[in-house]
Amino acid sequence: MGQHTRPPWPARCYLWATERLYHELAWAYDAVSWLVSLGRWSAWRRGALAHVRGPRVLEIGFGTGELLLEMAARGHRVCGLDPSPEMQRVAGRKLRRRGAHVPRLRGYAQALPFATGSLDTIVSTFPAGYILAPETWREAARALRRPDPR
């Protein structure tokens, strides 16, 4: 019988810290991101915009909503998916303050609540453990529109 092995302690520490940041410390996410990236977080996040194709865009793990705001301002029909109620609250306040109306869903990347072929692009700029799950990749492949072969 296979034995369950624990990840090494640095991985466990990282996972513990990110869970704190996504939940009880969600209010500090923007500042922490700026700090750990040495001030480059906004530029790194915006780098994803060069890869967005088509109008229907999903951001998985939208955090505080900064990229949702940027994509909406560029005319994308964007929607956000994040399981954290705390991040939902932080992003909701930010979107309201800036007058943006962006739909946000609470859910998981491994079970996307979207019809097959209904999305043009899926973005995830700071993925957590879900990005390694085969279910996430299957769901993304299912939900993305297939390019026209012509």
Side-chain angles (χ1 to χ4, degrees):
M1 193 175 253
Q3 194 173 3
H4 177 66
T5 59
R6 288 175 52 174
W9 71 266
R12 289 194 314 272
C13 288
Y14 173 78
L15 292 171
W16 177 86
T18 56
E19 280 302 305
R20 303 295 66 75
L21 193 55
Y22 297 152
H23 296 288
E24 61 266 25
L25 298 176
W27 57 271
Y29 183 90
D30 286 334
V32 170
S33 297
W34 185 88
L35 183 64
V36 299
S37 70
L38 303 175
R40 295 184 295 244
W41 179 239
S42 292
W44 291 349
R45 185 184 59 243
R46 281 193 304 275
L49 295 171
H51 304 282
V52 174
R53 302 287 181 260
R56 300 167 302 176
V57 181
L58 169 65
E59 183 179 7
I60 298 174
F62 57 78
T64 66
E66 286 292 333
L67 192 57
L68 291 176
L69 284 163
E70 293 182 48
M71 289 188 288
R74 291 176 182 224
H76 296 289
R77 290 189 334 233
V78 65
C79 181
L81 180 77
D82 198 300
S84 167
E86 295 84 1
M87 284 298 200
Q88 291 276 355
R89 280 193 291 279
V90 171
R93 283 193 299 267
K94 184 181 287 187
L95 292 166
R96 280 190 299 282
R97 274 194 317 269
R98 299 197 193 165
H101 303 285
V102 176
R104 293 169 291 110
L105 304 170
R106 188 163 172 225
Y108 295 90
Q110 300 90 337
L112 296 176
F114 296 91
T116 298
S118 63
L119 300 169
D120 296 305
T121 301
I122 297 174
V123 176
S124 186
T125 58
F126 192 72
Y130 66 83
I131 203 67
L132 299 175
E135 298 85 9
T136 297
W137 292 93
R138 279 194 292 276
E139 279 294 278
R142 179 192 62 75
L144 284 168
R145 180 180 59 83
R146 301 286 185 252
D148 188 354
R150 289 182 270 157

